[in-house]
Amino acid sequence: MKLLPFLFLFIPFNFFGADELSCGTIECENFKVNIYNNAELQNGLSTYMNYCYGCHSLKYSRYKRIAEDLEIPIELYVSNLIYDDSKPGELMQISLNKEDAVNWLGAVPPDLTLEARVRKPEWIYTYLKSFYSDSSRPYGVNNLVYKNVSMPHVLEDLQNSMSENDFNKTMADLTNFLVYVSDPSARERQQLGVYVLLFLSLFTAFAFLLYREYKKELK
């Protein structure tokens, strides 16, 4: 997998504007979060590492945790998705330092580990799909969700080479990956919650039956 130059990867998710609509100049598209399909999350991870990670760290995540959660053999992860000499157990920092970021990009690209907890998933999904040509902007593009965005359309090659449905699917996978990485223990908690509810249901049923037996004894 080829890592695109980080100059084209500055996605300013962490800056808020005074938007009247749910997604800037438009309403957010409907988006259904699904963090249980590992194949789709793997695709989202691949897209992120190739198109976003050059500038946007995931500094609260570790390579190894993601590999284990998404059922990716660690050797495969290291050989295809770690682009420097980082070790699997390390946090996912990037090599771009603050000084270079300011000199080259004008600002420090935000870490995106918690972005899906700051923004709504439907906001991220709609943002990724809402670039349009605008010759008045430095990179020739603008965004319906984030007005006067100061970045190029980093996913333009994908959008031009894919069908609309395939591109939408890829953006959904990327969004779901960001949702997952913002709270990787959510899947475990939700699954545990199901078991707890089942246990409570069974306990309640047995308690009710026991109560009926005690009530018979008291008559």
Side-chain angles (χ1 to χ4, degrees):
M1 301 177 187
K2 184 178 179 182
L3 180 65
L4 297 185
F6 57 77
L7 179 61
F8 301 101
L9 304 177
F10 181 31
I11 304 178
F13 283 141
N14 283 337
F15 301 96
F16 290 88
D19 300 326
E20 294 183 1
L21 301 177
S22 59
C23 274
T25 64
I26 59 176
E27 294 293 345
C28 292
E29 294 191 29
N30 292 328
F31 180 77
K32 184 177 181 180
V33 172
N34 180 7
I35 58 173
Y36 292 98
N37 189 314
N38 278 348
E40 293 178 354
L41 292 179
Q42 289 170 12
N43 185 48
L45 165 66
S46 177
T47 302
Y48 188 92
M49 296 301 292
N50 281 281
Y51 289 88
C52 308
Y53 190 60
C55 274
H56 295 285
S57 61
L58 295 172
K59 65 182 181 181
Y60 302 113
S61 297
R62 297 184 187 276
Y63 298 103
K64 188 173 184 292
R65 171 66 187 269
I66 291 178
E68 290 174 348
D69 284 353
L70 305 192
E71 300 179 337
I72 303 172
I74 193 63
E75 298 82 5
L76 185 64
Y77 194 111
V78 170
S79 61
N80 288 278
L81 293 173
I82 297 182
Y83 302 113
D84 53 24
D85 58 356
S86 296
K87 304 302 181 184
E90 293 180 4
L91 294 170
M92 298 176 68
Q93 304 278 7
I94 58 174
S95 59
L96 179 64
N97 60 56
K98 292 182 179 180
E99 183 179 354
D100 287 340
V102 172
N103 290 335
W104 297 337
L105 304 172
V108 179
D111 177 88
L112 298 184
T113 316
L114 304 177
E115 195 57 42
R117 300 177 74 171
V118 176
R119 300 284 193 181
K120 297 180 296 184
E122 53 266 33
W123 190 99
I124 297 175
Y125 175 68
T126 308
Y127 170 85
L128 293 170
K129 295 175 53 185
S130 297
F131 282 89
Y132 65 93
S133 297
D134 183 349
S135 59
S136 69
R137 301 300 301 154
Y139 292 108
V141 294
N142 212 325
N143 192 282
L144 294 172
V145 173
Y146 195 97
K147 187 178 180 181
N148 294 333
V149 62
S150 296
M151 62 165 287
H153 184 7
V154 299
L155 300 163
E156 185 174 12
D157 288 344
L158 280 180
Q159 192 168 27
N160 290 338
S161 63
M162 291 179 165
S163 68
E164 182 178 359
N165 287 339
D166 287 344
F167 180 73
N168 291 346
K169 177 64 168 56
T170 299
M171 295 305 97
D173 292 346
L174 175 55
T175 302
N176 276 319
F177 171 72
L178 287 171
V179 173
Y180 150 75
V181 83
S182 70
D183 188 5
S185 63
R187 303 199 302 181
E188 297 173 6
R189 290 201 313 273
Q190 291 172 12
Q191 290 171 346
L192 180 61
V194 172
Y195 296 136
V196 170
L197 290 175
L198 288 174
F199 169 79
L200 291 176
S201 297
L202 289 172
F203 176 81
T204 300
F206 283 121
F208 176 72
L209 293 174
L210 184 61
Y211 165 75
R212 289 206 311 179
E213 292 299 318
Y214 279 132
K215 192 173 182 180
K216 290 179 182 177
E217 293 287 335
L218 293 175
K219 286 182 178 180

